[in-house]
Amino acid sequence: MDQPPHRVFREFVSAHAGRIYNHALRMLGNREDAEEAVQDIFLKAHRGMADFRGQSEIRTWLYRITVNTCLTRLRRTTLQQVHPDAEQTKTGNQWDTIVSNDDSPENLLIEKDIKGFVIEALELISPDDKEILLLFHVDELKYEEIAIVLDVPIGTVCARLYRARKKLRAAMEPLQKELKR
Amino acid sequence: MNCGFDRELLSLYADGVLKRDLLLHVETHISECQECRRALEDMRELGKALNSLPREAAPHALVERILAEAKGTVRQTARDAVRQTVSAVWTVAMHGFRIEDEQEELVRRELPEWVVRWVLFV
């Protein structure tokens, strides 16, 4: 079958690049790797579009490529790098721009702390746990979509998501205790 | 301390994916159990924090690079197809052999039907 027309592919990239880039950035921990991965992901999608028969949503299909590409890259590299935002949380520069609905000073402080801990703790849990948390909470995929992306039954998604949240919580605890000291 | 209630169920409740009967079961429990109410609040807080992590726009240069690369791939594929066809025709003309499977696949995929028939004698 033919390759997608360039205009169609341009629209496809424009529509999904932001989310896919952020997903890769969180998974891989640095911009350089994330950019390489995103390029790889979209070129795979470009090659595969001709064979895409619409068995699943195109978004689900793209996330499937994304997950596989990121996990393969992570397995290939033993180099552990900290997400750039994790560094920024220590000085708090990015969080100042985020405003919650209730912007009382106390609430802003609590929210800022929780996000900072979440970012640091995300680097401490396994890639598989991080992956499922990002798919559900950040990329806002439904349980059914995650099941397709990860090629597992929905029951497994429920169990893995629960376990991942527990691990993230556990990873946050020592960080929070350290701050209280 | 743990009241023994199924926390995975509570987690599904927090995600809003429970069916009505289980939903009522959880709601009844949390109306009576402060510990589970706290756990639920904690799950929601965590979800909210994850959902509002900072996001960046994909660099414009990256998007342009992807598009240029994809365009280049299409051109390269077309060039390869022509090259393979010429080579296939030459092979057939000179030696009367059937072309290699790999070449045949490419010719079938990339070229119009009449060229395929002509090259492959089908």
Side-chain angles (χ1 to χ4, degrees):
Chain A
M1 253 176 106
D2 294 338
Q3 300 273 10
H6 197 63
R7 184 184 53 79
V8 173
F9 187 65
R10 177 179 278 277
E11 282 168 13
F12 174 74
V13 174
S14 305
H16 299 282
R19 278 182 180 272
I20 298 300
Y21 174 68
N22 278 282
H23 186 98
L25 188 56
R26 289 270 167 228
M27 281 307 292
L28 302 173
N30 69 85
R31 291 180 179 88
E32 197 185 334
D33 281 352
E35 286 195 26
E36 273 181 25
V38 172
Q39 186 163 346
D40 199 12
I41 290 159
F42 278 104
L43 291 176
K44 279 181 193 162
H46 183 258
R47 284 194 295 271
M49 262 178 163
D51 298 321
F52 178 73
R53 305 256 184 264
Q55 307 94 323
S56 56
E57 289 277 326
I58 201 148
R59 186 171 81 126
T60 318
W61 173 72
L62 183 62
Y63 269 107
R64 197 168 176 157
I65 300 174
T66 305
V67 165
N68 290 335
T69 306
C70 289
L71 290 178
T72 306
R73 273 181 171 264
L74 276 174
R75 281 181 198 123
R76 242 183 0 219
T77 177
T78 50
L79 186 69
Q80 292 293 319
Q81 285 167 296
V82 178
H83 190 283
D85 290 341
E87 289 302 314
Q88 286 163 351
T89 53
K90 286 168 190 159
T91 51
N93 54 359
Q94 277 215 352
W95 312 118
D96 296 341
T97 57
I98 296 162
V99 182
S100 76
N101 292 334
D102 176 7
D103 54 359
S104 65
E106 301 82 30
N107 209 23
L108 275 179
L109 190 68
I110 291 165
E111 201 170 297
K112 175 173 155 178
D113 284 342
I114 290 170
K115 278 179 202 157
F117 292 131
V118 165
I119 286 171
E120 284 190 60
L122 274 174
E123 303 306 322
L124 304 172
I125 59 176
S126 75
D128 286 334
D129 288 332
K130 180 156 71 165
E131 187 78 74
I132 200 161
L133 288 171
L134 293 180
L135 287 173
F136 183 74
H137 288 289
V138 181
D139 301 312
E140 297 177 344
L141 264 64
K142 295 185 185 112
Y143 274 42
E144 294 84 356
E145 292 176 311
I146 298 174
I148 295 169
V149 170
L150 301 180
D151 199 18
V152 294
I154 289 194
T156 308
V157 174
C158 302
R160 278 179 59 181
L161 201 47
Y162 170 67
R163 199 182 55 209
R165 267 196 286 242
K166 238 170 108 175
K167 286 190 183 163
L168 184 69
R169 241 301 159 224
M172 282 168 70
E173 261 167 38
L175 302 171
Q176 285 173 308
K177 275 182 192 157
E178 203 175 304
L179 188 86
K180 279 178 192 162
R181 249 185 253 152
Chain B
M1 213 180 80
N2 193 327
C3 72
F5 190 76
D6 185 351
R7 288 288 161 90
E8 194 175 328
L9 205 56
L10 202 61
S11 155
L12 295 171
Y13 177 80
D15 293 342
V17 294
L18 281 187
K19 292 204 172 120
R20 197 176 155 73
D21 50 342
L22 282 172
L23 191 104
L24 290 174
H25 171 62
V26 175
E27 279 177 349
T28 308
H29 177 76
I30 53 175
S31 68
E32 296 158 355
C33 178
Q34 198 186 4
E35 193 191 327
C36 281
R37 273 202 305 277
R38 270 203 209 117
L40 179 65
E41 200 181 315
D42 189 63
M43 284 175 194
R44 285 179 170 157
E45 205 173 63
L46 197 63
K48 204 173 135 195
L50 279 162
N51 186 254
S52 56
L53 291 179
R55 289 162 208 211
E56 296 182 11
H60 182 68
L62 170 65
V63 173
E64 290 307 316
R65 215 159 52 231
I66 292 166
L67 294 171
E69 185 87 18
K71 214 169 189 172
T73 310
V74 174
R75 280 200 193 121
Q76 189 59 42
T77 311
R79 264 200 298 270
D80 284 348
V82 171
R83 207 172 292 137
Q84 294 271 3
T85 309
V86 170
S87 150
V89 170
W90 179 252
T91 307
V92 172
M94 294 303 290
H95 308 288
F97 296 145
R98 288 280 302 196
I99 60 173
E100 298 291 330
D101 287 349
E102 208 175 284
Q103 288 174 319
E104 182 175 332
E105 197 190 316
L106 192 75
V107 167
R108 282 187 190 278
R109 197 174 65 228
E110 301 294 339
L111 297 175
E113 182 67 28
W114 68 270
V115 181
V116 173
R117 282 172 185 279
W118 182 62
V119 173
L120 303 179
F121 302 122
V122 289

